[in-house]
Amino acid sequence: MELSVVVPTLNARRRLARVLDALEARLPAVEVVVVNGPSSDGTSGLVRDHPAVDVLLELPERNLNASRNAGLAVANGDVIALLDHGSVVRDEWYDALVAAVESGADVVTGPVHRAVSGGVTTEEREHETVAGRDVQYFDGGNVAFTREAATAIDGFDEYLETGAARDAAHRLAALDMRVEWVPAFAVLRVDGDDLPDRVAENPEGSATGLKYRALGYRLAKNYGVSITVAWRAVRHALGDAASAARAVLGGDETLSSWLARGRAVVPNIAAGVADGLRARHRDRSPARNPNGVSSRMDRAMSRYEP
């Protein structure tokens, strides 16, 4: 198995250094591609000097999915893993990946451990059935695709600023791709005192708007319009509203911020649904991705091979 590891990054020099150190120590023979957004913290210098890195791509776009797709486009491996700039691979990670791929998995994912006071907390397996599809979700910062699977879905949908991994999971399910959850395929996600990213800087209402626009988009694009799909969107909104109301009553959120978030829900779902239906019309292929790798082969970027 020839493995490439793609690491998109933006203003996360300290965390990225730990990720690259772990790759050098535990996966010295794999191809490592770092895709750097317009960072302003010295990331480029770190990457060019690091012995683990084979290719550095510099993108002018502040878009995580553009970075993921750029990395997928240049990676040479027959299996391509994606890590985020805070995901440190564990000792068993590589062996778990090899075993899963050899057993026939098209996509491999696993837990993300996060360090907390007194120990760690861990993301659990998340899967559900949607309109007859068995959808296995994955964290976009700890996943590996066979080249055939990555090509079949044409990478990630660059329309989405959030939720692109969930969108990809729906499309993989539509293609009957086998997405395997492997407990040993685990990373430790580290924090750092890096510059905040764009989503973190958004006010609460804007973050809510992005979430619900993405929800409406991926449901409409992947399933069209139906009562089942509409109910899923309503159920999400009602659940979030109830959680926020409890936070207001508990003093953890203000009434004005709750109202601002509520006002962001309906117009953004509607906009997402409209854009999703247009995307569904534009790409009627099984990939359901009019904004994927193949549509952006002309993107502007600089390539360095340290």
Side-chain angles (χ1 to χ4, degrees), residues 156-223:
F156 292 83
D157 190 327
E158 295 183 26
Y159 168 91
L160 291 161
E161 294 184 60
T162 185
R166 298 181 80 84
D167 172 69
H170 287 286
R171 295 186 286 119
L172 288 164
L175 291 165
D176 291 324
M177 293 283 180
R178 178 180 160 193
V179 182
E180 189 79 16
W181 170 274
V182 180
F185 186 75
V187 296
L188 176 65
R189 187 152 293 162
V190 297
D191 294 322
D193 54 351
D194 308 302
L195 296 174
D197 60 38
R198 182 159 60 112
V199 173
E201 292 172 338
N202 279 339
E204 188 61 35
S206 181
T208 299
L210 285 176
K211 173 183 176 180
Y212 279 96
R213 184 180 291 257
L215 175 64
Y217 176 84
R218 66 176 180 262
L219 288 176
K221 184 186 72 165
N222 287 298
Y223 302 98

Side-chain angles (χ1 to χ4, degrees), residues 10 20 34 43 45 50 64 68 88 114 116 132 137 146 151 169 181-182 205 261 263 272 283 288 292 297-298:
L10 176 65
L20 296 178
V34 175
T43 291
H50 203 288
L64 172 60
R68 288 168 170 168
V88 176
R114 297 177 187 270
V116 296
Y137 295 114
T146 63
T151 301
W181 170 274
V182 180
R261 289 206 294 173
R263 286 193 296 269
D283 185 358
R288 290 289 184 203
M297 296 302 288
D298 61 344

Side-chain angles (χ1 to χ4, degrees), residues 227-263:
I227 296 298
T228 301
V229 169
W231 169 240
R232 291 186 64 82
V234 170
R235 190 178 65 188
H236 273 280
L238 291 176
D240 281 354
S243 297
R246 288 192 293 270
V248 171
L249 293 174
D252 297 322
E253 183 172 349
T254 65
L255 180 60
S256 61
S257 66
W258 178 56
L259 292 172
R261 289 206 294 173
R263 286 193 296 269

